[in-house]
Amino acid sequence: SAVISQKPSRDICQRGTSLTIQCQVDSQVTMMFWYRQQPGQSLTLIATANQGSEATYESGFVIDKFPISRPNLTFSTLTVSNMSPEDSSIYLCSVGVGASYNEQFFGPGTRLTVL
Amino acid sequence: KNQVEQSPQSLIILEGKNCTLQCNYTVSPFSNLRWYKQDTGRGPVSLTIMTFSENTKSNGRYTATLDADTKQSSLHITASQLSDSASYICVVTSNTGGFKTIFGAGTRLFVKA
C-alpha cells in the first residue's frame, strides 16, 4: 500500500491567481496521477506524472494551465494557473503500484474554491 | 467506447439493512475492477480489487462480485452502518499496452438511523 498526503487540504483563491498543490508519498513510486473531481461528479484524469519524464496530459488539459513537477519518486506538485471559478474542484493525487500499476491509492484531496 | 455505468445513482437505506450496488462496464481489454468508498471531502479508499479470474471478493461487510462474461459487478453491503454513508465508485482498468482507468460516476449511499 501507499500513504499519500496533500497540501493544502483546502484553499480559497481569487480568480487570476495560481495555486500549487503538493503530493507526498511514503514510498517510492514510479507512476503518479493527478485527478480533478468537480462537485457531484466522478474523477477525471488530468495527467500522468512519471519521475524523469514530462507529464502526459489527457484531452482537455494543457501544461500551461496545469504545470506538473515530479522531482523524485516520492513527490509531485500540480499548479492550477490563472484560476477561474470553473476551476473550483477537488484535486486528487494518486499513485499506481503493483503489477502493471493496477492498484491505485489516492490522497485525501485538495478542495479548491475560486472566487 | 470504454464506459463504466453504475446504478442506482443514489440510495437511502435504514441502518442495519443490506444493499447491493451495480456496475456494468464495456471496457476492453479488461485488467481489473475495483470498488472504492469515498467519504465526503476525502479521497477514495480501495475496498476490493478483482481480476478476470475472480468472481467474488470480500472485505469485512463488503462483498464484491464479478461476472466477466456479462461485464457486470456488484457490491453488497451487509448490516449497514451510519458510517457506510458515502459514494461508492466502480473503477475498471484496461491494459491496452498502457494503463487506462475508467471511473464510474458512483452511487451515493445514505444510511439513516
Side-chain angles (χ1 to χ4, degrees):
Chain A
S1 67
V3 178
I4 305 169
S5 60
Q6 289 185 230
K7 289 183 182 180
S9 59
R10 59 177 60 220
D11 207 343
I12 301 173
C13 302
Q14 297 295 322
R15 72 167 67 215
T17 62
S18 298
L19 176 72
T20 295
I21 302 168
Q22 298 179 7
C23 175
Q24 181 75 52
V25 190
D26 69 340
S27 57
Q28 293 185 336
V29 294
T30 301
M31 296 190 74
M32 293 181 77
F33 310 92
W34 285 98
Y35 288 85
R36 181 173 74 183
Q37 186 175 29
Q38 295 181 306
Q41 305 291 316
S42 193
L43 284 71
T44 300
L45 180 64
I46 297 172
T48 301
N50 294 337
Q51 197 272 334
S53 62
E54 295 289 323
T56 303
Y57 289 82
E58 296 296 303
S59 175
F61 298 96
V62 295
I63 188 171
D64 290 345
K65 175 67 175 177
F66 297 101
I68 289 170
S69 79
R70 184 77 204 275
N72 57 52
L73 290 173
T74 62
F75 188 78
S76 177
T77 67
L78 169 76
T79 299
V80 186
S81 304
N82 188 25
M83 290 183 285
S84 67
E86 292 72 34
D87 294 320
S88 297
S89 281
I90 297 173
Y91 291 85
L92 295 130
C93 171
S94 173
V95 301
V97 299
S100 302
Y101 311 108
N102 278 346
E103 181 94 54
Q104 261 187 292
F105 296 93
F106 290 85
T110 295
R111 182 181 290 274
L112 171 62
T113 302
V114 184
L115 302 178
Chain B
K1 182 180 178 182
N2 289 326
Q3 285 186 313
V4 176
E5 296 185 350
Q6 292 187 242
S7 61
Q9 189 174 26
S10 64
L11 181 63
I12 302 173
I13 62 173
L14 291 176
E15 186 179 15
K17 298 296 185 183
N18 304 335
C19 68
T20 300
L21 315 180
Q22 300 291 341
C23 173
N24 296 337
Y25 62 93
T26 59
V27 178
S28 181
F30 174 87
S31 179
N32 67 49
L33 185 146
R34 292 168 264 148
W35 283 94
Y36 287 88
K37 177 187 179 187
Q38 185 176 22
D39 292 312
T40 301
R42 300 292 195 92
V45 175
S46 181
L47 295 175
T48 63
I49 176 171
M50 289 183 290
T51 58
F52 186 88
S53 59
E54 298 174 294
N55 54 26
T56 186
K57 185 162 284 187
S58 292
N59 178 0
R61 294 180 297 102
Y62 302 102
T63 298
T65 65
L66 173 65
D67 186 333
D69 291 331
T70 61
K71 299 188 176 182
Q72 296 179 325
S73 176
S74 66
L75 180 70
H76 186 75
I77 303 174
T78 304
S80 61
Q81 301 176 357
L82 298 178
S83 59
D84 292 331
S85 296
S87 289
Y88 291 84
I89 304 172
C90 176
V91 182
V92 181
T93 299
S94 175
N95 55 352
T96 56
F99 177 69
K100 188 161 185 67
T101 302
I102 298 93
F103 287 77
T107 292
R108 190 72 175 92
L109 176 65
F110 300 89
V111 180
K112 293 194 166 185

